[in-house]
Structure formats: structure tokens, C-alpha cells
Amino acid sequence: MKRSILLLSCVAGLFGCAAVLAQSAPAVITAAGAYHPLPKAAYQPDPAATYKVVFSLTKGSDKPDQINPGLERVARTVNLYVASGVPLDHLKFVAVAYGAATSLVLDDEHYKAQFGTANPNLAAIAQLRKAGVDVAVCGQAMAEHHYPNEWASKDVTLSLSALTTISELEQKGYALLPL
């Protein structure tokens, strides 16, 4: 009887340790994307699957010194998948900024000139790029906002347009996530 109780206690302890480790998985994107671990929640990502998503970033930040809410969610999505055991190379993510979100891609010099503050999005963009996420900006939106293409951060891809980027990626099996 004592042996059974000891064995059950050890097994319970191992499960408890595993749960704590799963809940404390380090975030890949630390500049943004905080999340709440829920290892027993439904619809957990499959670590063996590959995920193709194009994020449509159209909203600006409430204040210029705050990270863009859409970019924040892209970072959260990366962190959630990685915390669920999905390898980074199984994430085929593209985030395309346009409309009111266009300015989030500006380099620090031009963002400061426009808004009087450092660009709070650049650290997250750099970390997303390092994690394999392509952060793109609509070339048409850059022109419409009178931002020369050279003003975009070096970590950002200039696309022909958000319209063509999204439709091309959807044709290739990417799921559209409007943010």
C-alpha cells in the first residue's frame, strides 16, 4: 500500500513538473506578445503541422509611443505556437501593414520626425524577423502616406501592395487573419 502511494505521489509530481515547465516556456518574442499559458485548453496546435498565416495589419496605435496592437498580436501568435511545441520553422507567417498601420514600419529617425517619439515597434519587428516572420509593408500605402520607401526599417519587406500580397498568399494556402 505504501509503495502504491509513493508511486502515485511520484507520478503526480512528474505531471506537476511537466505542467509547470509547459506554462513557463520562454517567449521567443520578448518585445511584445505576452500570453497566458493554458496547457489543458481545447484546440492546441499540432507540433507536427506547418501553419501558414498572413496577418492583415490595418489599425494604428492609440498613441505613437505604444506598440501597434496588430503587431502585438502577431508576436503573441508566434509565442503561443512555440509554447505549444510548434517549431519556428513550422510557422510560415507574413504580417503586412497598410492603411493606418503603415507608420509602424518607419525607421526610428523618420518615426521620431513624424511622431516625436522613438518607434516602439522596431524591437518586436526585429525579433519577429529573427524568428522567421516576414513583416511587410504595402508599397501603395507608403506612397499614399508620402513615406519614401527608404524610410521603412531594414527589417521590413516592401511589397507591391497589401492587396496583391494577401491574395497571392491566400492562393498559396495561407489563412488570412485580419487584425
Side-chain angles (χ1 to χ4, degrees):
M1 179 76 173
K2 286 183 183 180
R3 186 175 180 176
S4 297
I5 292 173
L6 179 62
L7 183 59
L8 284 173
S9 295
C10 288
V11 170
L14 287 174
F15 278 119
C17 288
V20 167
L21 286 174
Q23 291 179 359
S24 63
V28 173
I29 312 302
T30 57
Y35 66 97
H36 305 281
L38 297 169
K40 294 184 181 185
Y43 305 110
Q44 295 286 333
D46 177 359
T50 296
Y51 296 91
K52 295 163 57 171
V53 179
V54 56
F55 299 89
S56 170
L57 309 180
T58 60
K59 296 178 181 147
S61 300
D62 289 337
K63 296 179 183 173
D65 63 343
Q66 294 176 344
I67 192 162
N68 180 279
L71 194 64
E72 171 77 34
R73 287 190 170 161
V74 173
R76 179 177 297 139
T77 304
V78 171
N79 287 337
L80 284 166
Y81 275 94
V82 171
S84 297
V86 178
L88 280 174
D89 64 352
H90 288 205
L91 301 179
K92 309 301 180 198
F93 288 177
V94 177
V96 60
Y98 59 106
T102 304
S103 63
L104 76 87
V105 306
L106 294 177
D107 63 26
D108 215 34
E109 175 188 350
H110 294 97
Y111 194 92
K112 280 180 189 173
Q114 182 87 21
F115 300 106
T117 186
N119 187 340
N121 301 292
L122 294 179
I125 290 171
Q127 288 178 359
L128 286 164
R129 173 69 69 184
K130 187 175 179 185
V133 176
D134 185 13
V135 178
V137 65
C138 171
Q140 304 306 303
M142 289 287 286
E144 289 171 8
H145 284 86
H146 306 288
Y147 299 150
N149 296 336
E150 300 77 36
W151 288 10
S153 164
K154 63 178 175 44
D155 290 320
V156 172
T157 301
L158 178 70
S159 73
L160 172 61
S161 73
L163 297 169
T164 57
T165 300
I166 292 168
S167 62
E168 283 296 308
L169 291 172
E170 283 189 306
Q171 290 292 319
K172 295 176 181 178
Y174 282 66
L176 173 62
L177 213 79
L179 299 176

